[in-house]
Amino acid sequence: MKIVISATFLPILTFATLSLAKQGKDFIPVEVLKPHKGEHKEYTRFIGTTAADKSVQLYSYHGGQVKKLFAVAGQKVNKGDKLCDIEAEKFQLAYDIAKLNKKIAADTVARTKAHVSRGTSSRMKKDQDNLSLFNAKKAEIEAKKIYEGSLCLVPFAGIVTERQIDLYDELNPNTETFHIASLEKIIAKVEVSEQEYGSFKIGNKASLSLSPQRPAALHGEVVSLNRRANQRTKTFVMKVEFANKNKKILLNSTVYVKILKKSYRNSFVIPNNAVIIKNDKTYIYEADDNKANLKEISIGPQLEKNVVVLKGLRGDEQVIIRGGEFLKNGQNIKITKVHKNDS
């Protein structure tokens, strides 16, 4: 869901300004600002949900009875943690035997190789021993997989998203035991409209917060854009990846994502309230020699409290940002405050 940010150009009224305008004073007090030129960035805000960038399903490959359980859903875990005991002692013994068989096969290959070099053994014997070593390695890998499955061994740090077994369950081979998701990085999924789809690219910078009012908690970038739209919503799924520092953000959370849409280089920005709209054209008042001069401009996107000016400004103007609502072109003014541009 996209958050639509709109700004209405409403004049800011002050009692003193209104009084002077009604009394027909010789001047109108105004406040001015010199437009700032530089690189200005346009962002779009979205509401999204978080998911893990990677996850794994653990299995009991051989089956057996669940003797012990050490974790529940929602529990954070570290790489190498043992989450269960499914007759693990039996499978550890099988794994130890497999390792020993591999060592014996490797020693046999080494001895046969020496005999072949001396001419006291055949190459066929060497090939047979190499095949035995290959089979021993394969058996060790399988025994290791079964043993680690009997312990529900965690392959990376993360969180238990689901526990699929209970104590004393009798498991069949290849039974699912735990589902683990990584918290090192998270993916925020947001939906982009057809109109805005072309405005975003992989690599665009983004920030994430837990509410619109709170500062950004994480910073990341766009990593994928679906090519096919959802037929019901006519939107495209965009994925944004964030390094999840200190594991602050949990999975399946609602988050607020701000994504860079476009950068405007060497452009001016002025406050929204400096812009005047007349007959579908946009203007500003420039303070020039104690007079207010109406000046037509062309504006671009709104950047929160400011607006990008595409044409019409030189950069040395003093743009009237307070008091302009009562002005007429050429009217006498008095500058009461010069604002520092910190946009």
Side-chain angles (χ1 to χ4, degrees), residues 15 24 64 67 123 125 132 150 190 195 202 213 223-224 239 245 264 282 301 308:
F15 179 77
K67 301 292 186 181
R123 289 188 176 276
K125 178 66 166 62
S132 296
S150 74
V190 300
Q195 293 77 14
I202 292 175
Q213 292 76 33
V223 293
S224 73
K239 295 181 180 180
K245 298 178 181 178
Y264 296 85
T282 51
V308 174

Side-chain angles (χ1 to χ4, degrees), residues 284-298:
I284 54 100
Y285 274 114
E286 174 189 2
D288 185 15
D289 196 22
N290 294 323
K291 290 187 179 295
N293 293 330
L294 193 65
K295 190 171 189 176
E296 185 176 354
I297 61 172
S298 175

Side-chain angles (χ1 to χ4, degrees), residues 65-281:
Q65 188 182 62
V66 180
K67 301 292 186 181
K68 296 178 183 178
L69 287 170
F70 307 112
V72 295
Q75 182 174 324
K76 291 182 180 179
V77 292
N78 295 313
K79 180 179 179 180
D81 281 356
K82 300 172 184 178
L83 307 186
C84 71
D85 180 344
I86 306 170
E87 301 182 31
E89 185 176 355
K90 177 174 66 176
F91 299 119
Q92 181 179 16
L93 178 60
Y95 179 37
D96 290 341
I97 292 172
K99 288 191 288 184
L100 182 58
N101 286 336
K102 186 188 78 169
K103 184 178 183 306
I104 292 171
D107 291 343
T108 300
V109 166
R111 286 195 301 270
T112 300
K113 183 178 179 181
H115 284 300
V116 170
S117 64
R118 293 195 297 266
T120 57
S121 185
S122 66
R123 289 188 176 276
M124 181 179 294
K125 178 66 166 62
K126 178 183 176 182
D127 292 341
Q128 290 173 341
D129 289 344
N130 280 328
L131 179 59
S132 296
L133 177 59
F134 174 80
N135 289 331
K137 288 180 178 178
K138 184 178 177 182
E140 182 196 27
I141 292 171
E142 183 66 18
K144 180 182 180 182
K145 182 178 79 169
I146 292 172
Y147 173 55
E148 290 182 348
S150 74
L151 295 172
C152 305
L153 204 64
V154 179
F156 51 74
I159 188 169
V160 177
T161 58
E162 186 179 3
R163 193 184 80 184
Q164 297 142 315
I165 56 175
D166 290 314
L167 196 60
Y168 306 124
D169 280 354
E170 292 287 348
L171 307 183
N172 294 321
N174 299 315
T175 298
E176 296 176 344
T177 55
F178 287 86
H179 189 269
I180 311 295
S182 171
L183 290 177
E184 291 295 325
K185 294 180 180 179
I186 61 165
I187 298 293
K189 297 179 181 179
V190 300
E191 295 184 356
V192 183
S193 68
E194 291 179 312
Q195 293 77 14
E196 287 196 307
Y197 179 77
S199 301
F200 300 98
K201 297 179 181 178
I202 292 175
N204 279 20
K205 301 300 181 184
S207 61
L208 177 151
S209 61
L210 293 175
S211 76
Q213 292 76 33
R214 295 176 65 177
L218 303 176
H219 297 275
E221 62 181 33
V222 176
V223 293
S224 73
L225 270 165
N226 278 12
R227 294 179 179 271
R228 293 185 180 181
N230 183 301
Q231 294 302 309
R232 183 178 60 84
T233 62
K234 305 300 182 184
T235 57
F236 298 83
V237 173
M238 179 163 55
K239 295 181 180 180
V240 191
E241 183 181 88
F242 298 91
N244 195 11
K245 298 178 181 178
N246 301 320
K247 315 298 185 292
K248 291 180 180 179
I249 309 300
L250 299 179
L251 306 180
N252 303 314
S253 299
T254 298
V255 291
Y256 296 82
V257 183
K258 186 171 76 170
I259 303 174
L260 177 65
K261 185 175 181 181
K262 188 175 181 180
S263 291
Y264 296 85
R265 292 182 173 85
N266 297 318
S267 298
F268 294 108
V269 294
I270 58 175
N272 288 331
N273 59 357
V275 178
I276 299 165
I277 300 177
K278 292 184 178 180
N279 300 322
D280 296 327
K281 293 185 177 181

